[in-house]
Amino acid sequence: TVTNSDLNLITQGTGMIVFNAHTAVSSRQVTHVGSSGVQPLDSFTAATFRSAEYLVSATNATETRYEVAKILVTHDGTNAYINSSSVGSQTVQMATYTADISNGQVRILIVPQSSDSVTYKMFKTLIRV
């Protein structure tokens, strides 16, 4: 039978949806309030995953600003490498993205350009080592 119904796959907590032995996906929401210093956005286990692609939607309701960023990150076990591009409702990016490895975790870090409350909604695809 052919239908136009959606297929909803919902994880609980920090669970992921695994498509095969090589790829997993997940999504989450993070709100940062009142800081413009370096803050963690997300992380993944370096021993399990080699690379990740993030799609991040940022909303600053105070200044009515919106942005979407595509972030690519990979690592060699010691160093993390990142590339990001974004488009937003203003010419200045809402955040700068960096990556590092700490305690076996590849961390995606942000430096918000405002101390306003900003909500980041993200979807990530992870590729196993």
Side-chain angles (χ1 to χ4, degrees):
T1 303
V2 176
T3 69
N4 290 326
S5 298
D6 293 338
L7 173 62
N8 294 308
L9 303 173
I10 301 170
T11 61
Q12 300 296 318
T14 59
M16 289 188 264
I17 299 170
V18 178
F19 287 106
N20 55 42
H22 307 290
T23 308
V25 298
S26 70
S27 65
R28 66 186 289 234
Q29 177 175 312
V30 177
T31 301
H32 290 289
V33 179
S35 175
S36 58
V38 176
Q39 301 173 36
L41 181 66
D42 195 51
S43 64
F44 60 89
T45 305
T48 305
F49 300 103
R50 173 68 61 210
S51 305
E53 177 185 49
Y54 286 81
L55 188 60
V56 179
S57 175
T59 301
N60 179 331
T62 303
E63 296 180 4
T64 316
R65 293 184 63 193
Y66 307 96
E67 182 175 277
V68 63
K70 184 174 185 176
I71 303 166
L72 303 173
V73 62
T74 192
H75 70 89
D76 60 14
T78 304
N79 298 297
Y81 309 96
I82 190 167
N83 180 283
S84 65
S85 62
S86 64
V87 63
S89 60
Q90 294 189 5
T91 56
V92 177
Q93 286 184 305
M94 290 176 60
T96 302
Y97 300 92
T98 62
D100 70 6
I101 297 179
S102 177
N103 296 319
Q105 296 289 306
V106 176
R107 300 184 310 164
I108 310 303
L109 306 169
I110 59 171
V111 177
Q113 300 304 308
S114 168
S115 60
D116 293 336
S117 175
V118 177
T119 300
Y120 298 88
K121 295 178 182 177
M122 73 191 84
F123 179 80
K124 68 179 172 185
T125 302
L126 300 168
I127 301 173
R128 293 188 183 273
V129 173

